[in-house]
Amino acid sequence: MKPRVRFAPSPTGPLHIGGVRTALYNYLFAKQNGGTMLLRIEDTDQTRFVPGAEEYIIEAFQWLGIKFDEGVGIGGEFGPYRQSERKAMYKQYADQLIANGYAYYAFDTPEALEQKRKDCEAEKKTFQYDLHTRGEMTNSLTLEASEVERRIAAGEPYVVRFMHQPDTEILVDDLIRGEVRINSNILDDKVLYKSDGMPTYHLANIVDDHLMQITHVIRGEEWLPSAPLHVMLYKAFGWEAPRFAHLPLLLKPDGNGKLSKRDGDRLGFPVFPLQWKDPKSGEISSGYRESGYLPEAVINMLALLGWNPGNDQEVMSLDELIQLFSLEKISKAGAKFDLEKAKWFNHHYLQAVDDAELAKNFQATLKQKNIDACMEKITRVVALVKERLYFTNDLWEQSSFFFERPSSYDEQAIKKRWKEGTPERLQAIAEILKGCVPFDKESAHNQVMDYIHQNELNMGQIMNSFRLTLVGAAKGPDLFEIVDILGVEEVIERINAGIIAIENHIKNQNN
Ligand code: GLU
């Protein structure tokens, strides 16, 4: 049987990259096995609904190149795929559980529950609505049947709670964690349905997974504690449960705790695929896309957070991942987010991007800075500095001096590289370059080298100060590549301007 899997986010805000990884693993598993992956939006908790979140989720997967086969925005024969649109169908399932003795009505008001909690606290106990306490509460187990009917008919608010049986060992057979056994006595009677007509996550999730014929539930470890209830729900309905696979947590880089929504911007990396602006507070959280990451790099990096192919292969395209992925090789231990690794992947994939494509985007950045440069020059610059880039956004930082004359000169470099005699030597270099016809990288290089040899100088005496006048700092790619791209006139002007500015600077300092 071909697997059917689902990614089932709640539209409560931007999608955390942990969620993206969950979707990715579902996708890899489905594609490898010729199966189907669907996108279901779990929006039953209207109090947590955030406008724009659903659109964000869809856009994020479009950017990443993860395609759903069915679901919200696509359609399919198991729709609707938005739980709020399925609202009417859940009640019958809650009724069925009550009729068969697997669930009960509870009428406890929020105040009564709060009081009960306080009473327990006073006795240094924590309150849980379960098989030990349900007999003390206001529900269809403690009230007369006629009273229950009366309350419901009168429109009194109620919830439907699952009724765990005593002393039952519940087995969750997890594809990653193996057999997890839990005794029913410690579980609480979770709310499944509310009289406002909305199911809770637990009921809606199980009903939909069943109706949508889901074969494998692959989701984050935070849902493992809910899995025993889910197993019991399948039993109560008499349905065959899907296979479960609970994925390890994504941890902070130091391994101390779960990677939270707040961590990213605090530690200097995005936790969301795309930038997100909170509709209420207006607060902006950074995204991988806007930070200059390539989708291929994000996919590759995420795939390895909690899984590896069993050897040390690290670079894998989406197609290769589909070939190599296996649920069995997912680790049980949490996976530490590694910023350096993320950057390394991005650097790697960036090298494969066409120079012309990078140049086109960079031209737009330059235009914003009112810099008009021709594509030929931009493409040459891009080709030259590409190996130094971690992000496309680094392009300006790595190459600004090709488009703007230095406005200042690095203090350290002046101290170290600017000696007596430097101005005269650089003037001599400027003269030599003027006479260099045709002017190109080789001829400029040869002439400068001849000058160095003839005057019995060493390379350092010329090259470093020369670079300083062209770049403004002791950085950048091969000096003669820079010379070639700038052209002879610009080089000579920069040498002359640099000499004046640096000499003045030194004079002012000495006064
Ligand atoms: N709606 C749940 C979430 O937001 C889905 C959990 C599950 O996959 O069962 O994570």
Side-chain angles (χ1 to χ4, degrees), residues 185-327:
N185 290 356
I186 64 162
L187 296 175
D188 63 329
D189 290 348
K190 281 266 185 299
V191 174
L192 301 177
Y193 187 83
K194 289 180 263 173
S195 52
D196 66 1
M198 270 299 190
T200 61
Y201 155 72
H202 300 291
L203 181 67
N205 188 269
I206 267 56
V207 167
D208 286 349
D209 280 350
H210 172 71
L211 296 178
M212 295 178 184
Q213 296 178 10
I214 298 304
T215 59
H216 293 75
V217 167
I218 304 168
R219 63 183 173 192
E221 192 183 274
E222 63 273 26
W223 298 104
L224 188 59
S226 302
L229 168 65
H230 297 176
V231 167
M232 291 315 282
L233 276 167
Y234 282 105
K235 282 217 166 86
F237 282 119
W239 297 335
E240 191 190 335
R243 302 299 312 269
F244 289 103
H246 287 92
L247 307 175
L249 293 176
L250 285 192
L251 305 176
K252 294 184 210 300
D254 64 6
N256 275 329
K258 207 170 130 174
L259 187 62
S260 79
K261 296 194 173 191
R262 301 247 159 245
D263 284 333
D265 286 331
R266 190 172 61 80
L267 299 171
F269 56 86
V271 191
F272 303 114
L274 316 178
Q275 182 174 295
W276 168 259
K277 186 171 174 201
D278 188 274
K280 269 205 199 115
S281 66
E283 192 192 342
I284 293 193
S285 307
S286 66
Y288 279 87
R289 181 177 66 184
E290 291 73 13
S291 304
Y293 281 87
L294 297 168
E296 301 90 317
V298 176
I299 295 270
N300 199 154
M301 176 272 288
L302 280 180
L304 287 171
L305 285 178
W307 170 86
N308 67 67
N311 55 30
D312 45 21
Q313 185 180 357
E314 290 194 303
V315 174
M316 286 165 276
S317 66
L318 198 51
D319 284 341
E320 278 174 293
L321 287 167
I322 291 170
Q323 299 289 317
L324 295 167
F325 186 72
S326 72
L327 289 174

Side-chain angles (χ1 to χ4, degrees), residues 44 66 86 93 116 149 178 193 257 263 316 336 376 416 433 435 479:
T44 54
I66 293 181
R86 304 170 67 79
Y93 293 100
K116 186 78 188 163
E149 265 168 45
Y193 187 83
D263 284 333
M316 286 165 276
K336 281 187 229 166
E376 195 208 326
K416 219 165 140 200
L433 293 177
L479 185 62

